[in-house]
Amino acid sequence: MPFPALMVHDFNTGQEVAAWEARYVIGSKVIPDMIPNIIAFRGDGAAKTFAAGYGGAVLSFDQVLSSVSPMGMAMPVRILTATTPPAGAFSIGAVSMHMDMDEVIVGSKVQTPEEFIKGRMMGPKAMTTNGTMLMFSYGLTHRTSVRVKASYLDKTMDMYVMGGKRMTSTTHSGISDLEILVRHNLWRDKIFSRFFTFYGAITLPAGGFDTAFLATPNLQLGTGTVTISGGLLGSIRFADFWLHTQAGYTVRPENSDDYAFGNVAIVGAALHYTPFHNLLVGAEIDGIWTAKSEYQSEVIAKSGGFRNTVAGLLRWRFLTVFGGNFNLMLSVATPIYEDLNKYGMGGGWSWKGMVSYKRRLPLF
C-alpha cells in the first residue's frame, strides 16, 4: 500500500514539507544525526545557501533515495572498513566464537592427523578455540573513531603420542591481549559512497606469555609484548552493494622471554549486499602471511606461513529502541588455501556470533 503522504522537516524553520518537493544537502560539515547526513530544505535556494556555507551536495528526493544504502556501513567481520561513524556515535557488542582445526598442513599439502602420525612418535590431532569478546567503539570526531576489544579464550590442543596409540590433551584458558584500534578517514566523497582511511592499532600484553607452551605456541593467550599495526582501508558503494578492502602490517617485537612471534601482513576484501534497511548479507576473503618466529634469536623453522580464508556473513537489525538499534551478526569461515613452514594445524572451520547495540549520544 503506498503512503498517502510523506513529509520531512525543513532544517531552517522546522515546518513540514512534502518529501518529493524538498531539496536535500548531503555531505555537509553539519551532522545532526548519523551519516550520511541528509538535511531537508523547503526549496532549492535554501539548500544551495546552506551548502555554500557548510559544504555538501544538493540532491532531489529521487537522488537521495538512490544515494543511500541501508546498513551499507556495517563493519566486516574479518577485515576493517574505511567508513567511520560520526562524532558521538557508539556501539557495544558481545561476541562468541568457535574454531576447529582438524587437519595437518605439510607445506601446502593437506593430511589427516591419522595419516600424519604414521611412522612418527607424536603429532597433532586437533586444535579447538572458544572465545568471548567484548567490543566498544566510539566516534571521537566526524572522521576519527576508536575501538577497544577485550577477549577471554579457551584453547585446547589434542596430540597423538606413542605412535598414535595414546592421545594427550592440553588446555590453556584466560584473558587475551587487549586491542586498541584507531581509524581516521583521510578522504570521502560528498555523498558518502567512497572512503579512504588510515588505521593504527596496538595490543597490550594482558594475556601474557607462558614459557610452558614454547613447543605449542598456538596455545599462547598473548604475545607477551606490545604489538603495533597499521594500514590503509578503502570502501566504495555500487547501488546496494559495498566493497571494502584492507591492506595492513603488524609488528610483533621480542618479549621479555626472548620469544618473538613473526610479523603479520594482511590483505582482504569484503562484498556486502544490503537489500533491505535491516538486512545485510556478504562474502569476505583475506590472505594472511606470517613470518617465522624466533626464540633466543634463533629462527623457529616450524612457524609462520600463509593462510587464505573465505567467510560468509549475515547481519540483521532486529530491534530499534532507546534511541538506537540492536543488531545480530553471524559469520562462518573456512580456509581455502594454506602453505605453512614445515607443518602445522590447519583446515577446519570457525564461526562468530555477535549481538551489538548502536546509537549516537548527544554532543555538548
Side-chain angles (χ1 to χ4, degrees):
M1 178 179 177
F3 291 105
L6 185 61
M7 311 297 289
V8 296
H9 288 273
D10 175 74
F11 183 76
N12 291 329
T13 66
Q15 295 178 350
E16 290 187 344
V17 185
W20 49 86
E21 295 178 359
R23 289 296 179 266
Y24 303 85
V25 175
I26 184 172
S28 71
K29 298 177 183 178
V30 179
I31 302 182
D33 189 16
M34 302 300 281
I35 57 175
N37 51 330
I38 301 170
I39 303 174
F41 295 89
R42 177 174 292 277
D44 195 61
K48 289 182 177 178
T49 299
F50 181 87
Y54 298 99
V58 178
L59 305 178
S60 67
F61 181 65
D62 290 338
Q63 289 173 321
V64 163
L65 289 181
S66 64
S67 70
V68 176
S69 172
M71 290 191 66
M73 296 183 185
M75 180 77 73
V77 174
R78 296 189 61 86
I79 67 171
L80 300 170
T81 173
T83 60
T84 53
F90 88 96
S91 68
I92 185 169
V95 181
S96 179
M97 64 84 66
H98 173 85
M99 179 175 67
D100 281 325
M101 303 172 76
D102 56 7
E103 295 175 338
V104 181
I105 311 300
V106 184
S108 59
K109 296 181 180 179
V110 179
Q111 291 186 346
T112 66
E114 290 74 22
E115 291 171 335
F116 181 79
I117 193 63
K118 293 177 181 178
R120 293 179 171 88
M121 287 303 297
M122 63 183 300
K125 182 180 185 296
M127 174 79 189
T128 302
T129 302
N130 292 292
T132 301
M133 307 170 194
L134 292 176
M135 295 192 297
F136 174 82
S137 66
Y138 184 74
L140 299 174
T141 71
H142 292 325
R143 291 185 180 269
T144 304
S145 67
V146 61
R147 186 189 74 183
V148 179
K149 181 173 71 174
S151 307
Y152 183 92
L153 301 178
D154 183 89
K155 297 185 173 186
T156 299
M157 173 71 83
D158 295 330
M159 297 283 296
Y160 280 125
V161 296
M162 297 179 64
K165 296 178 181 179
R166 289 182 52 200
M167 188 190 78
T168 64
S169 182
T170 305
T171 298
H172 193 198
S173 303
I175 296 173
S176 184
D177 289 349
L178 181 72
E179 180 190 74
I180 302 172
L181 168 76
V182 175
R183 290 178 297 151
H184 178 69
N185 177 236
L186 301 172
W187 175 86
R188 63 192 180 207
D189 65 0
K190 289 184 178 181
I191 61 173
F192 290 76
S193 64
R194 292 177 291 174
F195 294 77
F196 184 65
T197 297
F198 166 81
Y199 77 92
I202 63 170
T203 63
L204 305 179
F209 181 86
D210 195 333
T211 55
F213 301 107
L214 285 174
T216 52
N218 285 346
L219 286 173
Q220 296 288 356
L221 299 176
T223 61
T225 186
V226 174
T227 71
I228 302 173
S229 302
L232 296 173
L233 310 168
S235 296
I236 185 169
R237 182 178 66 84
F238 306 93
D240 290 334
F241 290 89
W242 277 87
L243 175 65
H244 304 286
T245 58
Q246 175 183 355
Y249 195 78
T250 300
V251 177
R252 304 196 286 188
E254 185 178 87
N255 61 30
S256 58
D257 292 300
D258 298 326
Y259 193 99
F261 286 90
N263 295 341
V264 177
I266 178 173
V267 292
L271 182 64
H272 290 172
Y273 176 50
T274 57
F276 307 108
H277 78 281
N278 62 346
L279 181 67
L280 181 152
V281 294
E284 304 181 7
I285 188 169
D286 62 70
I288 299 177
W289 172 83
T290 305
K292 294 181 180 181
S293 301
E294 295 184 8
Y295 180 54
Q296 295 180 347
S297 300
E298 294 291 331
V299 173
I300 300 174
K302 194 194 73 173
S303 64
F306 175 79
R307 279 194 170 94
N308 185 200
T309 303
V310 65
L313 169 67
L314 173 67
R315 193 184 299 268
W316 175 41
R317 182 180 299 164
F318 64 91
L319 181 63
T320 298
V321 69
F322 306 131
N325 55 76
F326 283 90
N327 295 267
L328 178 66
M329 180 278 294
L330 177 64
S331 174
V332 179
T334 187
I336 55 176
Y337 179 77
E338 298 171 286
D339 189 354
L340 307 184
N341 295 314
K342 295 289 186 178
Y343 68 88
M345 292 302 300
W349 67 287
S350 65
W351 64 262
K352 286 184 180 179
M354 178 176 71
V355 176
S356 63
Y357 175 71
K358 302 179 180 181
R359 69 159 295 173
R360 189 182 183 199
L361 297 175
L363 298 178
F364 300 98

